[in-house]
Amino acid sequence: MELDEALKASKMPMIVVHFDDNFETTHAEEYNMENFELAEWQIESLARMLLPSIREYYRNPEYTDAVNERMKQQNEELIDV
């Protein structure tokens, strides 16, 4: 049995990530992701962990300026169409 077939047959959700010699990601393969489901407590736990970083990111004036500029450009492109 080939590796692909074995991974699919396992029914276990997984992502296989391939790296080059410099440890840069070359590609990723997903298997059985339809079997992947997070419990509500896992989602809430992840959200609690990420929230402080997200708040800090959005407080950064450089970010807000860049987002505002990007939105302005997108609006202008939509108007031109």
Side-chain angles (χ1 to χ4, degrees):
M1 181 182 282
E2 288 188 30
L3 182 59
D4 280 357
E5 293 172 7
L7 292 173
K8 289 176 187 173
S10 75
K11 305 238 189 273
M12 185 74 128
M14 66 183 78
I15 298 175
V16 178
V17 180
H18 298 267
F19 300 95
D20 63 14
D21 294 338
N22 297 321
F23 298 103
E24 298 288 328
T25 302
T26 57
H27 67 282
E29 303 169 54
E30 296 180 356
Y31 296 94
N32 306 311
M33 294 308 289
E34 67 277 2
N35 298 330
F36 181 74
E37 188 174 327
L38 290 173
E40 187 68 27
W41 68 268
Q42 291 171 312
I43 295 169
E44 288 177 11
S45 180
L46 179 62
R48 279 192 201 100
M49 181 184 73
L50 293 175
L51 187 58
S53 297
I54 293 169
R55 284 181 175 155
E56 185 62 32
Y57 183 76
Y58 280 96
R59 283 187 187 130
N60 184 337
E62 291 177 21
Y63 169 78
T64 53
D65 291 345
V67 168
N68 290 335
E69 182 62 31
R70 191 166 46 238
M71 287 174 51
K72 181 180 172 185
Q73 289 174 352
Q74 288 175 348
N75 287 337
E76 289 172 359
E77 290 172 9
L78 288 173
I79 292 171
D80 290 341
V81 172

